Structures are given as C-alpha cells and as structure tokens.
Amino acid sequence: MRVQSIRIEIGAAVRVSEPCVGCGRCCLGDQCEVSHRLHGYKPRCPELSWDAAAGRYVCLLMLNPERGATFKAELYAGEGCCSPDNPWRRDVRKRDLGS
C-alpha cells in the first residue's frame, strides 16, 4: 500500500466559524440528533427557548445540570456557528416557525 500526502491550502475566502449569537436559525429549522432521540420528530425543537432578558435563544439541553456537558460535547457546542453568513445573526429576535 502506498500512502500519498495531499496538501490543502485554505484561501482568504474561507471564513472561520464565529461564536453563536443565539439567533435560533439552526434549531428552528431542524432538530438536532439529541432532540430527535429525546422527543421524536417535532416541527420545532421543544428544547429551544427564547430568553427575553438575554435577547437570544438558548438550548435547554445545554443548560441541563445532569447531562448538559455530554450534550455540549455531542453537539459541538462552543465550536462556533456553522453558518456565519446567515442574515439572522444580524437580526436576533424571537421568531415564529417559518419567519
């Protein structure tokens, strides 16, 4: 077996992920695997909650005192937004499904 190295260069156009701002776009659009396991399919994740005082959405799974650390690791929480160019990041507000 021959092993070949491949060099990949990242150009200036590639953006690094940015911190989550709690806009809710990913969770309103689709449940994560943990939510599916716990609740089955739902049109909106029951673990997503609007925090009016903070002015952002929060995931109740992440705040779970017993299993939150496990959920965070499984869902890569803290790794940044996987869609940093989405327009909701600049307009964080409580939304209804489909808005």
Side-chain angles (χ1 to χ4, degrees):
M1 177 198 278
R2 191 178 114 178
V3 177
Q4 181 178 7
S5 295
I6 298 174
R7 180 180 171 158
I8 299 173
E9 293 188 26
I10 298 175
V14 176
R15 292 191 57 186
V16 176
S17 67
E18 296 178 18
C20 175
V21 295
C23 72
R25 184 174 184 201
C26 54
C27 300
L28 285 169
D30 193 21
Q31 283 174 274
C32 67
E33 287 295 318
V34 174
S35 178
H36 274 284
R37 283 196 313 267
L38 294 174
H39 305 291
Y41 175 77
K42 302 285 183 189
R44 179 178 175 157
C45 180
E47 300 290 345
L48 184 65
S49 178
W50 176 253
D51 182 335
R56 63 172 286 154
Y57 282 100
V58 294
C59 173
L60 300 178
L61 293 170
M62 303 298 136
L63 302 176
N64 182 304
E66 296 170 5
R67 299 179 63 195
T70 301
F71 294 147
K72 285 178 185 179
E74 183 176 345
L75 298 172
Y76 300 98
E79 298 296 319
C81 179
C82 61
S83 185
D85 290 327
N86 92 67
W88 288 20
R89 288 181 58 80
R90 293 178 300 281
D91 183 24
V92 179
R93 59 186 164 91
K94 187 175 184 179
R95 299 172 188 268
D96 292 323
L97 191 60
S99 65

